[in-house]
Amino acid sequence: MAAITIFGKGNMGSAIGDVFKQGGNQVAFIDSKDPVENLGDIVVLAVPYNAALSIAKANKDALAGKVVVDISNPLNFETWDSLEVSADSSAAAQLAGLLPDSKVIKAFNTTFAGTLMSRKVSDKEQTTVMAAGDDDAAKQQLADALTDSGVAFVNAGSLKRARELESFGFLQMTLAASEQIGWTGGFAVLK
Amino acid sequence: MAAITIFGKGNMGSAIGDVFKQGGNQVAFIDSKDPVENLGDIVVLAVPYNAALSIAKANKDALAGKVVVDISNPLNFETWDSLEVSADSSAAAQLAGLLPDSKVIKAFNTTFAGTLMSRKVSDKEQTTVMAAGDDDAAKQQLADALTDSGVAFVNAGSLKRARELESFGFLQMTLAASEQIGWTGGFAVLK
């Protein structure tokens, strides 16, 4: 059982909260008007990339020591043709730079909200959360919190792999936007 | 029906040949000792990235006008921690630079050989070939050649998306190498 704080009450925040609740965790939500206090052990930034940067800048001390989960897909939503981070970096690496005392993990950016809510990709295959981060204990904490949640967990490696996870999320979104997959479908991770 | 020439007779070349044969195409193989002649309309470079570069450099004129399919995953196989192309480029973009008169497509780098042979990911979901390239007619030629092949086809967009396909292939390979998925499993594309 972990105490989880989720910034953001949108589709993704709600779906992630639902998953963690099934996992037996204590879940609290914070939105932009709420005071940042009593944060859980795991803090999920379920907000767009630029908002996540703002939260990180404003709350560096409050987030110190926490597992901070970045779920963002930092697309340029005007062109849908690139990411807003430089090619040799990632949103998660940018956040980790702002939060040197936090344990930053990239996760949940490869799972559409619909596949988190249903725990299935295309109503067929179990949804899998892929996580990248440099702190193995922090990734284990996240894996433990998801054990009974209905979604599977895969360790995608060090925080450097956030770049590949963000490419993966970007590609998946472009396929959904071009209607080659649905927003309840996408990429399933099969053993 | 297309005439297809495949450079390379390894696991990937053989599997790709099997798929195209089922699609009703005429398939010929070339290995490094064979003369480069009588190339088909679609030429698949089913060789490692550095070998693909060498083939492109040596055969620019023979490949002019052809649909050239780059299947490579340009991993640094010493570290398994990065790609051998710069972060803002891709293997496919490098090949396209060497072959200005060819229609270069990135494809087959996201499908393990085993999933091409069986046409299934993890014996469950149909294998999907994702293709990126700037020439829509060339991508359609490839899609047509795969119509009855047993694998599905997805248009992943312009050649810029090769970067995301290569990230996708890289991530998939690291998960298999760390035994979190099998080499007959991986990422399935579900509608």
Side-chain angles (χ1 to χ4, degrees):
Chain A
M1 207 280 287
I4 314 240
T5 304
I6 300 176
F7 282 77
K9 296 175 179 171
N11 287 349
M12 283 299 292
S14 301
I16 291 167
D18 191 71
V19 165
F20 277 122
K21 278 179 197 163
Q22 182 179 329
N25 305 286
Q26 180 192 318
V27 176
F29 289 92
I30 287 185
D31 78 12
S32 53
K33 287 166 246 125
D34 297 328
V36 176
E37 57 188 19
N38 303 320
L39 296 179
D41 314 306
I42 299 176
V43 178
V44 181
L45 305 181
V47 295
Y49 173 53
N50 286 317
L53 289 178
S54 299
I55 290 169
K57 284 175 190 161
N59 300 287
K60 182 183 164 190
D61 292 343
L63 292 168
K66 305 293 184 186
V67 177
V68 175
V69 180
D70 165 37
I71 76 157
S72 67
N73 279 306
L75 266 70
N76 178 328
F77 286 104
E78 286 182 18
T79 64
W80 282 71
D81 196 35
S82 65
L83 296 180
E84 289 191 328
V85 287
S86 69
D88 60 352
S89 186
S90 66
Q94 296 300 311
L95 283 167
L98 295 171
L99 298 171
D101 301 321
S102 304
K103 296 162 248 179
V104 173
I105 294 178
K106 186 87 201 183
F108 294 106
N109 77 300
T110 64
T111 47
F112 292 147
T115 69
L116 286 171
M117 281 308 293
S118 67
R119 278 59 157 180
K120 299 259 184 216
V121 182
S122 258
D123 290 328
K124 290 202 287 189
E125 300 292 348
Q126 187 180 27
T127 300
T128 298
V129 171
M130 293 194 282
D134 288 337
D135 187 309
D136 285 332
K139 276 187 288 190
Q140 191 58 51
Q141 260 183 281
L142 180 61
D144 290 345
L146 292 172
T147 300
D148 296 316
S149 68
V151 303
F153 178 88
V154 158
N155 181 350
S158 73
L159 198 66
K160 271 186 82 178
R161 290 292 81 71
R163 207 169 96 194
E164 283 71 41
L165 293 180
E166 292 175 14
S167 290
F168 187 104
F170 174 21
L171 182 65
Q172 189 172 232
M173 290 173 76
T174 64
L175 295 186
S178 63
E179 299 186 350
Q180 296 190 87
I181 59 172
W183 292 96
T184 54
F187 302 139
V189 183
L190 304 184
K191 307 283 175 181
Chain B
M1 208 280 290
I4 313 239
T5 304
I6 300 176
F7 281 78
K9 295 176 180 170
N11 287 349
M12 283 299 292
S14 301
I16 290 166
D18 192 71
V19 165
F20 278 122
K21 279 178 197 163
Q22 183 179 328
N25 305 285
Q26 180 189 319
V27 176
F29 289 91
I30 287 185
D31 79 11
S32 55
K33 285 166 250 131
D34 297 327
V36 175
E37 57 189 18
N38 303 320
L39 295 179
D41 314 306
I42 298 176
V43 178
V44 181
L45 305 181
V47 295
Y49 172 53
N50 287 318
L53 290 178
S54 300
I55 291 169
K57 284 175 190 160
N59 300 287
K60 182 183 163 189
D61 292 342
L63 293 168
K66 305 292 184 185
V67 177
V68 175
V69 180
D70 165 37
I71 76 157
S72 67
N73 279 305
L75 266 70
N76 178 328
F77 287 103
E78 286 183 18
T79 65
W80 282 72
D81 195 36
S82 65
L83 296 180
E84 290 191 328
V85 287
S86 69
D88 60 353
S89 186
S90 66
Q94 296 301 310
L95 284 167
L98 295 171
L99 298 171
D101 301 320
S102 304
K103 296 163 249 179
V104 173
I105 294 178
K106 186 86 201 183
F108 294 106
N109 77 300
T110 64
T111 47
F112 292 147
T115 69
L116 286 171
M117 281 308 293
S118 67
R119 277 64 157 174
K120 300 257 185 218
V121 182
S122 259
D123 290 329
K124 290 202 286 191
E125 301 291 350
Q126 187 179 28
T127 300
T128 298
V129 172
M130 293 195 282
D134 288 337
D135 187 308
D136 285 332
K139 277 187 288 189
Q140 191 57 50
Q141 259 183 282
L142 180 61
D144 290 346
L146 292 171
T147 300
D148 296 316
S149 69
V151 302
F153 179 88
V154 158
N155 181 350
S158 73
L159 199 67
K160 271 186 82 178
R161 291 291 82 71
R163 207 169 96 193
E164 283 70 41
L165 292 179
E166 291 174 15
S167 290
F168 187 104
F170 174 21
L171 182 66
Q172 189 172 233
M173 290 173 77
T174 64
L175 295 186
S178 64
E179 300 186 351
Q180 298 190 85
I181 58 173
W183 292 97
T184 54
F187 302 140
V189 183
L190 305 185
K191 307 284 177 183

